[in-house]
Amino acid sequence: MWIAWIEFDILLGDVHSLKEKRAVVRPIVAELRRRFDVSAAEVGDQDLHRRARIGAALVSPDRAHAVEVLDAVERLVAARREVDLLSARRRELHSED
């Protein structure tokens, strides 16, 4: 069994409050969950209105599938016009490690 996750550090565009931040971050998290069947959430920088950390994770029977899903998740976040992707950190771990 493979456990894989990715964490994004993103800069939000024209956002001036935490309420506006939620209006940008929630649809991204919802789309990740819906399109890729991953667990996704805002995982950091909740008190900053122009920065966000979003994480996504999945469990897969093989590494190739996990990497394929993480690649697709990263492409989706990078393609969003309302955010700038500053960095993406990922990790894949086998259950026997």
Side-chain angles (χ1 to χ4, degrees):
M1 172 175 67
W2 287 88
I3 302 104
W5 65 92
I6 190 164
E7 182 179 347
F8 302 104
D9 182 8
I10 58 176
L11 179 65
L12 305 174
D14 191 28
V15 172
H16 303 288
S17 69
L18 293 176
K19 184 176 181 179
E20 289 177 1
K21 175 185 180 176
R22 283 192 307 273
V24 173
V25 171
R26 281 186 179 174
I28 295 171
V29 170
E31 187 172 5
L32 292 174
R33 290 176 180 162
R34 186 182 71 249
R35 286 188 60 184
F36 303 110
D37 198 25
V38 296
S39 295
E42 183 178 2
V43 295
D45 295 333
Q46 283 95 344
D47 57 339
L48 302 176
H49 69 272
R50 294 230 33 238
R51 295 286 287 273
R53 289 193 184 272
I54 296 175
L58 71 138
V59 175
S60 175
D62 61 88
R63 183 178 184 275
H65 178 260
V67 169
E68 181 181 314
V69 172
L70 290 185
D71 287 344
V73 165
E74 185 172 357
R75 282 192 302 272
L76 183 137
V77 173
R80 298 295 292 237
R81 292 183 185 182
E82 67 272 21
V83 301
D84 291 321
L85 179 58
L86 300 176
S87 68
R89 294 182 4 194
R90 64 166 66 196
R91 179 116 189 249
E92 302 95 31
L93 183 65
H94 194 271
S95 60
E96 295 178 4
D97 288 348

